[in-house]
Amino acid sequence: MKKIILIFFILSVSLILFGLLTESENYQKYIGFGVLILFFIVFPLFSYHRWKDKKMKDYYLNSENLKKFRENSDL
């Protein structure tokens, strides 16, 4: 999964840079496709990869988690 994310990230950054550095008439399309790949493929894949093994219950603000927070915050 990390390699796929890295490949798409490099592809999107290279498309954006190619669009910015060349003087072709379709430079806006290269920049646009790079941005689309970045925001609709790379960021969702990265978010899924980072959050797939997490328990959402650990992030809820309930009385049990508030007690843990208060106990751990004493300096």
Side-chain angles (χ1 to χ4, degrees):
M1 181 66 96
K2 288 182 183 180
K3 291 182 181 181
I4 293 171
I5 294 170
L6 183 65
I7 289 169
F8 277 119
F9 178 73
I10 291 171
L11 176 70
S12 66
V13 169
S14 63
L15 279 172
I16 292 170
L17 288 176
F18 181 74
L20 290 173
L21 298 176
T22 60
E23 295 182 7
S24 69
E25 56 191 44
N26 293 329
Y27 72 96
Q28 292 177 343
K29 289 183 182 180
Y30 293 122
I31 296 171
F33 284 130
V35 171
L36 285 175
I37 290 171
L38 188 66
F39 286 105
F40 289 113
I41 295 176
V42 175
F43 286 159
L45 282 177
F46 178 76
S47 297
Y48 172 75
H49 174 69
R50 295 293 292 171
W51 283 86
K52 69 179 175 181
D53 295 329
K54 307 283 187 209
K55 290 186 250 174
M56 289 305 294
K57 189 176 182 182
D58 293 338
Y59 299 99
Y60 290 156
L61 189 62
N62 54 20
S63 60
E64 182 181 325
N65 289 339
L66 283 173
K67 282 182 189 177
K68 288 180 190 177
F69 177 73
R70 287 181 185 142
E71 290 171 1
N72 292 334
S73 67
D74 293 334
L75 297 177

